[in-house]
Amino acid sequence: MLKLLASLLLSCCIALGVSLSPAAAMGVYDLPILSSGVPTYVVDPVAAISAANEGKLNKDLKNLAEKTGQEVRMVVVRRLNYGQKIDNLADDILREWYPNPEDRANQTIIVLDTLTNKTAIRVGEEAKPLLTDAIADSILSETMAVPLKDGGKYNQALLDASRRLTAVLSGEADPGPPEVATINIESTFTTAEETDDKNATIWVIVLLVLATVIPMATYFWYAGFGR
């Protein structure tokens, strides 16, 4: 019966032209080709970023480009081509979009794969004195990694990265990654050892009281009957 239903479902999908395959994998040739000076700074063909946040990112990164000449592109994909790694895709984008060394000198590219939450960054030669390897690694491993691990918050990850990149590439001090709030539960909950110690203390007190009260009660009881 199950085989019959599956066969009917497959036949209906074929007849209607509906694909049962997962979302198509993406490579560099599935993305629009951008060049230096083009006022598009977010490429999100999978619509992982809200329209409002995409507009904000484009506006902020456009202002950065106009003020400093440093251009940041953020690319969001859903799934990579079979066997391709996100670092390879970042290299391909840099090579295809900016074939000349002078074109890529002031470019910074961030790539995010929403299927695996993996990220990559590439920094042009003129941007490296400001955006050092240490800061670039921290943007991926701290600034973006925390919101991505916390339920795949793609919007927050890119907004936080944009704020930090804007500061650094503008020659300002690196604000560092956002602080992660930690909850101190030591003052609220007791450990098993503390609970055992408290229980043992209570039992000792109870036994001492009983050891004192029972003999006294017994004495007075006998003394009362002896009258």
Side-chain angles (χ1 to χ4, degrees):
M1 185 63 178
L2 291 175
K3 290 183 178 180
L4 177 60
L5 290 174
S7 178
L8 290 173
L9 177 60
L10 180 59
S11 298
C12 290
C13 289
I14 294 174
L16 295 173
V18 177
S19 174
L20 293 178
S21 62
M26 301 188 72
V28 67
Y29 298 112
D30 299 302
L31 301 170
I33 302 298
L34 301 182
S35 59
S36 178
V38 174
T40 299
Y41 302 94
V42 179
V43 178
D44 179 23
V46 297
I49 310 303
S50 70
N53 285 326
E54 184 173 342
K56 175 173 174 52
L57 287 167
N58 272 309
K59 179 181 178 181
D60 292 345
L61 296 177
K62 180 182 179 182
N63 289 337
L64 173 67
E66 291 175 348
K67 291 179 180 178
T68 67
Q70 295 291 336
E71 295 186 348
V72 176
R73 316 282 180 180
M74 295 181 166
V75 182
V76 185
V77 298
R78 171 61 182 165
R79 187 161 66 94
L80 303 178
N81 285 333
Y82 178 76
Q84 186 178 46
K85 295 181 180 180
I86 195 162
D87 288 311
N88 300 136
L89 178 57
D91 290 334
D92 291 344
I93 291 173
L94 193 64
R95 183 179 61 254
E96 292 295 326
W97 289 10
Y98 315 107
N100 299 319
E102 58 271 20
D103 291 335
R104 71 176 74 110
N106 293 313
Q107 301 295 330
T108 298
I109 295 176
I110 284 184
V111 185
L112 165 63
D113 174 18
T114 62
L115 182 65
T116 62
N117 284 344
K118 290 184 177 180
T119 53
I121 189 170
R122 292 295 179 269
V123 183
E125 291 300 321
E126 294 296 327
K128 283 185 177 180
L130 297 170
L131 184 53
T132 63
D133 290 342
I135 296 176
D137 290 341
S138 175
I139 288 174
L140 298 185
S141 63
E142 296 178 289
T143 302
M144 295 185 69
V146 172
L148 289 177
K149 290 179 181 179
D150 186 17
K153 297 179 179 178
Y154 312 120
N155 289 270
Q156 183 182 341
L158 292 180
L159 287 170
D160 289 347
S162 174
R163 282 191 287 268
R164 192 171 177 188
L165 285 167
T166 297
V168 171
L169 292 174
S170 296
E172 301 173 4
D174 177 20
E179 293 184 5
V180 180
T182 57
I183 302 174
N184 183 5
I185 62 174
E186 293 182 1
S187 60
T188 306
F189 301 99
T190 57
T191 65
E193 292 180 357
E194 290 173 340
T195 302
D196 291 342
D197 290 343
K198 289 181 180 179
N199 290 338
T201 302
I202 292 172
W203 277 110
V204 170
I205 294 173
V206 170
L207 291 174
L208 287 174
V209 171
L210 291 176
T212 304
V213 172
I214 291 175
M216 292 178 62
T218 304
Y219 169 78
F220 287 114
W221 185 77
Y222 277 112
F225 272 96
R227 292 179 181 177

